[in-house]
């Protein structure tokens, strides 16, 4: 009970600190949010009225305190960029990011982990070399360029996959999106072809994001397994006649599991933070694009709301990761 | 050796198998894409600037374009000849009881998309809420002397079909009609908006994402930063649009917009770069249409920057005019996007000065600088937007100014940051563009050639240009009731700005729109709001 309270207190201070830093950085931005709203041609009177309406005449501590007071009532404010409540905006864009990031993480784990294990079985072998090169390329080539290339080949040239957007226009504005997940909502719509269409639009962004994430998963997992391979318990297992596969799967992998789970969790959290470039190239809504647009407009309510959501995600993922690591590794219980 | 060959053979077989599988997959994979319906027009452009679809508030390029298609005004520019105003919701007008008054007869058959008739009360409600809300574009209505405290007395219902409009500014009726043709003077349906009023906002919160107009289209759905979906309004007082639905999709990346129109999933792609336009030239299913725009691009020298006294030297202003490679930028660097234009009124505006006396002449610029003692390593910081095509323009300027002995240091920044600098007059030089707020010469002349030093932050004020006489002439021009005399005044004012100001006016933008070959009837005018989808078919 006390531990839970301590954790809750620590969590509150973490999020408060995050908000404070974000607020300060946003206020230091040279972009004038009033100009974003009233334009460059507005009269001084209109400019001053909007400044007052946004409460920007108050000192920074007063502004921050007012934000916290509203936040305590569950009010994240109204976005200057969209004119909508930030909570509504986040409810609209976050499920899209969650869907994309989760699918990308599943694919990257399904591909990256086996590749890492196979590489670790024969370090410096042919497969290991190929995997290292591919994972390095996955991490190094600009994802923006890869996205455009993939769109050109699979959408524009061969025409075998859907292109930008979440659905074709025949479906996009006729299907209700109560959950915000295009897969779930297109499935539930019952419209023939809608689900397949949604999948076809998801394949490229998911695979590209997965390729990017798999690079990290593969390289770090491989390195963790190779680090384990020099340990005494591995030598002992080999001396007792265990096969390499058995040594790897039954001895090394369980010992590296805590580290691997942490790598996966961090990768997932960074994907949730937003894949701005993928969302831009593929014209998909998402938290990354939302926050980027807000940053360019010095849209403080949207920036703070989005950052808070990301902070909560990180905290939750860290918490789940801690529990998983403790379950997997009795040494740190 | 034998093992290596074995591995090599295995890899070759594996690659071969993958290639065959890939080909088979592309062959047998069903086309998962649904065709765009024939009565739907899909437009790919950026909507990231759009903040509000309330005509009393929205002042971004995307919202202005939407207003023209969703709302109507009493009078509007003829799409095919914007210098001519045509009655739209008004059937006609005549002088009112005072010299500063007009009486408008409303069209008897005009109805809003919601089915309500257009009444004098709607006109009064729309103009009054626009003034009282006091949002971005209200300064346009303020030109008539309308203020929140006085607007009620300026508008009156005469009978069921007539409305009286008075103004207090010393301007003529022709100018007033131009103001009433601006998007902020769009007429909204009071009966539709009133139930959605909340906390005295005059329905502003609701109108941000909904419509209550009589234009050819009505808003079905607006998803912020995603799409604006419009349905045809068959009851529009003009003819009904030819297409049932208009989808304006937010596709922020220009390369993606190009792919969409190339494949056919978008019928129109706007705001493509010169490279993308060039890549699409010659494609049989596409055509590129070029429309002149009223956007004027210019260099502003901030003469009151305390860190660089040379900026106040008129010799520098003169030399700068000879150090811009006008033709190089317009005809080679950004081919198709610009034409050389050296006066503040865009070609197509009444009274535009189309003479282009300046060209790149490094020797003459060096001589001017030398005579003024400015030939000893002059450095100027140039602020520019950090997006195309401003980087290219800045580099061209940097190159030609260097030939003249001036070291231009380029400072790219977000547009919001650049505007904040200019408003605070902290920049040294800046490359900007100007788009008129309404279709009258005063909109632009009042910015470039008026600095009353009364707190109004015109462009002349931002440049620190002290011009009491020219400001008086600009004020007199707007009051002139004789159209021919007024044009002569503006020609003279433009000539003064062209030859003796801290502005180097260089280019007039042209919008290049790529569309499928089957698309017909798309019209785009000079001003930002003049985008017309009502006659489009495909």
């Amino acid at each position: 009970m006390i531990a839970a309270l301590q954790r809750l207190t620590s969590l509150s201070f973490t999020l408060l600190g995050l908000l404070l830093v974000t607020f300060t950085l946003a206020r230091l931005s040279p972009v004038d949010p009033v100009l974003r709203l009233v334009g460059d041609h507005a009269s001084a009177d209109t400019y001053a009225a909007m400044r007052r309406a946004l409460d920007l005449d108050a000192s920074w501590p007063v502004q921050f305190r007012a934000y916290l007071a509203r936040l305590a009532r569950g009010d994240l404010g109204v976005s200057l960029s969209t004119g909508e409540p930030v909570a509504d905006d986040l409810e609209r864009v976050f499920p899209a990011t969650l869907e994309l990031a989760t699918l990308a993480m599943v694919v990257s784990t399904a591909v990256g982990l086996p590749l890492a294990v196979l590489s670790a079985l024969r370090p410096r072998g042919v497969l290991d070399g190929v995997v290292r090169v591919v994972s390095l390329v996955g991490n190094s080539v600009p994802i923006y360029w890869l996205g455009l290339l993939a769109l050109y080949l699979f959408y524009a040239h061969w025409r075998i996959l859907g292109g930008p957007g979440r659905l074709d226009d025949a479906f996009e504005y006729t299907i209700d999106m109560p959950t915000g997940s295009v897969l779930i909502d297109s499935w539930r719509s019952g419209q023939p072809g809608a689900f397949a269409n949604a999948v076809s639009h998801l394949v490229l962004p998911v695979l590209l994001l997965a390729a990017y994430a798999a690079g990290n998963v593969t390289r770090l997992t491989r390195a963790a397994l190779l680090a384990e391979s020099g340990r005494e318990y591995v030598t002992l297992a080999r001396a007792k006649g265990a096969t390499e596969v058995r040594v790897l799967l039954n001895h090394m992998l369980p010992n590296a599991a805590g580290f691997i789970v942490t790598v996966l969790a961090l990768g997932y959290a960074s994907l949730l933070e937003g894949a701005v470039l993928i969302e831009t190239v593929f014209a998909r809504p998402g938290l990354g694009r939302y926050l980027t647009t807000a940053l360019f407009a010095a849209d403080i309510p949207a920036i703070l709301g989005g950052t808070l959501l990301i902070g909560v995600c990180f905290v939750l993922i860290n918490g789940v990761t801690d529990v998983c690591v403790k379950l997997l590794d009795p040494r740190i219980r | 050796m034998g093992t290596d060959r074995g591995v090599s053979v295995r890899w070759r077989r594996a690659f071969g198998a993958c290639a065959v599988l890939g080909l088979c997959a592309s062959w047998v994979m069903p086309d998962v894409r649904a065709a765009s319906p024939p009565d739907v027009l899909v437009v790919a452009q950026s909507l990231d600037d759009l903040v509000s679809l309330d005509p009393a508030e929205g002042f971004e390029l995307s919202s202005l374009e939407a207003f023209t298609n969703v709302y109507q005004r009493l009078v509007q520019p003829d799409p095919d000849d914007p210098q001519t105003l045509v009655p739209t919701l008004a059937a006609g007008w005549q002088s009112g009881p005072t010299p500063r008054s007009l009486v408008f007869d409303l069209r008897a058959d005009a109805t809003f998309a919601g089915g309500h008739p257009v009444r004098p009360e709607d006109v009064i409600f729309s103009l009054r809420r626009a003034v009282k809300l006091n949002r971005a574009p209200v300064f346009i209505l303020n030109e008539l002397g309308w203020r929140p405290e006085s607007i009620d007395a300026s508008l009156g219902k005469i009978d069921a079909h007539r409305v009286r409009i008075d103004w207090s500014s010393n301007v003529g009726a022709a100018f007033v009609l131009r103001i009433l043709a601006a998007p902020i003077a769009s007429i909204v349906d009071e009966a539709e908006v009133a139930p959605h009023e909340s906390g005295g906002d005059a329905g502003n919160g609701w109108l941000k994402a909904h419509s209550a107009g009589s234009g050819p289209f009505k808003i079905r759905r607006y998803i912020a930063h995603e799409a604006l979906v419009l349905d045809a309004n068959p009851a529009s007082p003009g003819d009904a649009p030819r297409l049932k639905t208009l989808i304006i999709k937010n596709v922020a990346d220009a390369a993606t917009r190009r792919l969409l129109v190339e494949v056919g999933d978008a019928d129109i792609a706007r705001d493509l770069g010169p490279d993308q336009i060039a890549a699409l030239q010659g494609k049989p299913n596409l055509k590129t249409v070029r429309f002149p725009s009223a956007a004027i691009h210019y260099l502003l020298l901030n003469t009151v920057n305390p860190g660089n006294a040379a900026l106040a030297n008129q010799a520098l202003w003169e030399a700068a005019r000879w150090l811009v490679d006008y033709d190089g930028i317009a005809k080679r660097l950004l081919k198709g996007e610009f034409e050389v234009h050296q006066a503040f009124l865009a070609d197509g505006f009444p009274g535009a000065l189309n003479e282009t006396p300046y060209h790149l002449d490094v020797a003459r610029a060096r001589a001017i600088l030398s005579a003024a003692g400015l030939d000893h390593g002059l450095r100027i910081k140039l602020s520019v937007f950090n997006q195309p095509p401003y980087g290219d323009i800045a580099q061209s300027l940097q190159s030609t100014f260097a030939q003249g002995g001036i070291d231009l240091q380029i400072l790219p920044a977000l547009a919001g940051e650049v505007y904040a600098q200019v408003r605070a007059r902290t920049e040294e030089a800046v490359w900007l563009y100007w788009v008129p707020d309404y279709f009258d010469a005063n909109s632009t002349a009042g910015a470039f050639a008026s600095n009353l030093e009364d707190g109004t932050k015109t462009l002349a004020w931002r440049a620190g240009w002290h011009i009491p006489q020219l400001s008086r002439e600009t004020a007199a021009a707007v009051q002139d009731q004789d159209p021919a005399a007024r044009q002569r005044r503006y020609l003279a004012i433009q000539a003064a700005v062209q030859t003796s100001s801290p502005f180097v006016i260089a280019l007039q933008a042209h919008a290049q729109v790529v569309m499928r070959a089957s698309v017909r009837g798309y019209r785009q005018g000079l001003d930002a709001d003049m985008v017309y989808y009502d006659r489009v078919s495909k």
Side-chain angles (χ1 to χ4, degrees):
Chain A
M1 183 64 183
I2 292 171
L5 274 176
Q6 280 177 336
R7 202 170 178 85
L8 201 63
T9 311
S10 158
L11 168 70
S12 305
F13 276 108
T14 303
L15 292 178
L16 186 67
L18 178 69
L19 281 177
L20 183 61
V21 171
T22 311
F23 177 84
T24 308
L25 289 176
R27 292 302 290 119
L28 285 172
S29 159
V31 179
D32 184 346
V34 181
L35 279 183
R36 170 74 174 90
L37 281 181
V38 302
D40 183 42
H41 300 185
S43 68
D45 177 40
T46 305
Y47 179 89
M50 184 54 73
R51 202 174 157 78
R52 276 195 303 277
L54 295 177
D55 211 17
L56 292 176
D57 284 337
S59 66
W60 289 11
V62 171
Q63 289 178 41
F64 188 60
R65 203 168 58 222
Y67 178 80
L68 290 182
R70 285 198 303 273
L71 188 63
R73 297 193 300 272
D75 178 7
L76 291 173
V78 175
S79 162
L80 309 183
S81 315
T82 67
E84 301 281 334
V86 173
D88 291 356
D89 282 345
L90 294 177
E91 193 182 327
R92 179 169 52 82
V93 298
F94 187 59
T97 295
L98 193 66
E99 181 176 56
L100 193 62
T102 306
L103 288 171
M105 205 59 221
V106 168
V107 174
S108 67
T109 308
V111 174
L113 278 185
L115 282 179
V117 170
L118 290 172
S119 300
L121 263 177
R122 277 195 185 175
R124 287 176 292 281
V126 175
L127 182 66
D128 186 34
V130 170
V131 166
R132 276 192 293 166
V133 169
V134 169
S135 61
L136 198 63
V137 168
N139 261 209
S140 315
V141 178
I143 201 162
Y144 174 83
W145 181 81
L146 272 184
L148 279 176
L149 186 68
L151 267 181
Y152 176 74
L153 290 176
F154 293 95
Y155 161 68
H157 190 66
W158 292 326
R159 305 198 172 195
I160 55 173
L161 288 172
R166 286 191 294 178
L167 286 163
D168 282 359
D169 294 317
F171 302 113
E172 177 89 60
Y173 308 108
T174 56
I175 292 177
D176 281 336
M177 297 268 189
T179 69
S181 157
V182 70
L183 287 183
I184 296 171
D185 292 327
S186 61
W187 179 266
R188 285 171 42 167
S189 74
Q191 282 199 41
F195 181 74
N197 190 260
V199 171
S200 81
H201 279 261
L202 258 174
V203 170
L204 287 180
V206 164
L207 287 183
L208 285 168
L209 268 187
Y212 179 75
N216 274 337
V217 170
T218 309
R219 281 189 302 113
L220 293 173
T221 305
R222 174 185 171 278
L225 290 174
L226 290 181
E228 291 296 320
S229 69
R231 299 281 178 87
E232 287 182 353
Y233 73 87
V234 175
T235 310
L236 179 62
R238 283 179 180 139
K240 286 169 73 178
T243 62
E244 276 303 305
V245 174
R246 187 181 174 84
V247 168
L248 186 73
L249 297 181
N250 289 8
H251 297 276
M252 288 159 60
L253 204 54
N255 276 292
F259 176 77
I260 294 170
V261 166
T262 308
V263 167
L264 293 178
L266 286 175
Y268 186 47
S270 71
L271 287 180
L272 278 180
E273 195 178 334
V276 183
L277 294 176
I278 283 290
E279 286 165 3
T280 303
V281 170
F282 286 90
R284 301 182 72 90
L287 190 58
R289 275 212 69 219
Y290 179 71
L291 266 176
T292 310
T293 313
L295 280 167
F296 286 162
D299 181 353
I300 293 175
I303 296 169
L304 288 177
T307 309
L308 187 65
L309 179 60
I310 291 169
V312 169
C313 286
F314 261 86
V315 167
L316 284 176
I317 289 170
N318 273 343
V320 171
T321 309
D322 284 351
V323 172
C324 289
V325 170
K326 279 179 186 169
L327 288 174
L328 289 167
D329 192 347
R331 291 170 298 184
I332 56 169
R333 275 178 205 161
Chain B
M1 191 70 179
T3 308
D4 286 349
R5 188 178 296 140
V7 168
S8 170
V9 170
R10 279 203 300 275
W11 276 107
R12 272 188 219 158
R13 281 179 185 160
F15 278 126
C18 287
V20 171
L21 275 175
L23 279 173
C24 291
S26 66
W27 188 262
V28 300
M29 191 105 168
D31 192 348
V32 289
R33 294 181 298 117
S36 174
D39 51 2
V40 176
L41 185 80
V42 180
V43 181
Q45 66 177 74
S46 172
L47 289 179
D48 278 343
D49 63 329
L50 206 159
V51 174
S52 173
L53 287 164
D54 181 346
E57 180 177 47
F59 203 49
E60 312 80 40
L61 294 180
S62 302
S63 49
L64 291 174
E65 291 166 6
F67 296 150
T68 297
N69 292 285
V70 171
Y71 292 97
Q72 291 180 315
R73 306 145 208 168
L74 291 171
V75 291
Q76 284 182 233
D78 182 340
D80 299 316
D81 174 21
Q83 296 199 20
T84 305
L85 280 178
V86 291
T88 308
L89 284 179
W93 58 85
Q94 59 272 341
S95 300
T98 69
R100 293 182 187 176
S101 178
L102 283 173
V103 172
F104 289 88
D105 299 308
L106 299 185
R107 283 177 62 156
D109 60 340
T111 56
F112 290 106
H116 305 118
V118 178
R119 308 161 304 149
E121 288 87 343
D122 296 308
V123 177
I124 294 169
F125 174 77
S126 305
L127 297 176
R128 190 170 56 198
R129 70 183 291 278
V131 173
K132 291 193 172 179
L133 272 174
N134 192 22
R135 296 296 161 83
V138 74
F139 68 94
I140 296 172
L141 297 181
N142 294 158
E143 297 271 15
L144 304 183
W146 289 353
R147 296 288 183 275
E149 59 279 6
S150 64
I151 184 65
D152 288 341
S154 301
L155 307 166
K157 175 183 173 181
I158 295 177
D159 57 34
H161 291 289
R162 290 193 301 162
V163 62
R164 189 199 80 249
I165 291 180
D166 302 339
W167 63 95
S168 58
S169 296
N170 184 17
V171 293
F175 179 75
V176 174
L177 288 171
R178 284 292 173 189
I179 294 289
L180 292 176
I184 188 174
S186 297
I187 307 304
V188 302
D189 181 356
E190 182 183 16
E192 179 101 35
V193 174
H196 299 287
E197 286 192 4
S198 170
D201 73 344
N204 171 248
W206 184 76
L207 277 174
K208 278 176 190 283
H210 300 85
S211 63
S214 57
F217 292 93
K218 56 188 175 183
I219 296 176
R220 185 206 299 173
R221 196 172 173 196
Y222 170 58
I223 313 163
H225 295 179
E226 282 188 50
L228 174 63
V229 185
L230 306 176
D231 282 333
N233 169 24
S236 176
D239 293 336
R242 301 193 178 165
L243 293 164
K244 283 187 178 167
T245 304
L246 168 61
I247 299 174
I248 303 173
K249 294 172 76 157
N250 183 25
V251 183
D253 182 54
T256 308
R257 293 198 287 272
R258 174 201 148 178
L259 285 180
L260 278 167
V261 76
E262 202 173 348
V263 168
D265 281 347
D267 299 301
I268 293 176
R270 301 183 58 206
D271 305 324
L272 299 183
D275 292 350
Q276 281 130 6
I277 299 273
L280 294 176
Q281 293 297 323
K283 301 260 179 187
N285 294 324
L286 298 173
K287 58 183 176 187
T288 302
V289 188
R290 197 162 175 259
F291 299 96
S293 153
I296 293 294
H297 288 243
Y298 62 96
L299 177 71
L300 181 154
L301 301 170
N302 177 10
T303 64
V304 289
N305 186 306
N308 195 337
L311 292 166
N313 192 323
Q314 295 197 22
L316 174 63
W317 308 353
E318 176 65 7
R321 282 183 243 288
W322 297 105
L323 285 176
V324 177
D325 186 7
Y326 304 92
D327 281 341
I329 296 172
K331 294 178 181 164
R332 290 184 291 279
L333 187 61
L334 298 166
K335 188 180 172 189
E337 283 198 78
F338 294 102
E339 292 289 339
V340 176
H341 188 79
Q342 296 174 347
F344 61 68
L345 284 181
D347 183 20
F349 257 69
L353 177 68
N354 289 325
E355 286 165 25
T356 53
Y358 296 99
H359 57 270
L360 178 63
D361 188 338
V362 175
R364 187 186 299 210
R366 290 190 83 104
I368 294 168
L369 291 171
S370 178
L374 293 173
D375 54 350
H376 301 296
L378 183 58
R379 280 188 163 192
I380 300 174
K381 291 174 185 160
L382 174 69
S383 299
V384 288
F385 301 150
N386 62 351
Q387 60 196 41
Y390 303 100
D392 289 337
I393 293 174
Q395 285 182 27
S396 169
L397 292 176
Q398 189 179 48
S399 163
T400 51
F401 273 61
Q403 293 171 42
I406 299 174
D407 179 15
L408 272 191
Q409 293 177 286
I410 301 172
L411 304 177
L414 286 173
E417 187 179 346
V418 172
Y419 281 128
Q421 285 174 10
V422 176
R423 213 174 163 87
R425 300 203 292 197
T426 55
E427 89 292 3
E428 290 191 2
V430 62
W431 184 271
L432 290 171
Y433 68 92
W434 170 267
V435 181
D437 302 307
Y438 50 89
F439 200 81
D440 186 273
N442 182 63
S443 173
T444 305
F448 281 91
S450 177
N451 181 11
L452 297 172
E453 306 190 45
D454 61 352
T456 310
K457 295 183 175 180
T458 62
L459 294 180
W461 176 86
R462 291 173 197 191
W465 193 28
H466 184 64
I467 42 168
Q469 178 58 30
L470 193 61
S471 301
R472 278 193 290 277
E473 287 170 21
T474 305
V478 73
Q479 292 159 12
D480 200 325
Q481 309 269 350
D482 176 358
R486 199 167 170 233
Q487 286 198 17
R488 283 196 297 276
R489 284 179 184 272
Y490 284 123
L491 283 170
I493 294 169
Q494 286 173 89
V497 172
Q498 188 179 62
T499 54
S500 61
S501 74
F503 301 110
V504 181
I505 299 170
L507 304 164
Q508 177 176 352
H510 279 61
Q512 297 190 94
V513 181
V514 177
M515 56 188 85
R516 303 291 295 175
S518 57
V519 174
R520 290 185 176 79
Y522 175 85
R523 293 174 296 173
Q524 186 167 334
L526 274 174
D527 244 351
D529 63 306
M530 294 176 178
V531 173
Y532 305 93
Y533 291 108
D534 56 330
R535 300 271 70 83
V536 176
S537 62
K538 70 172 195 177

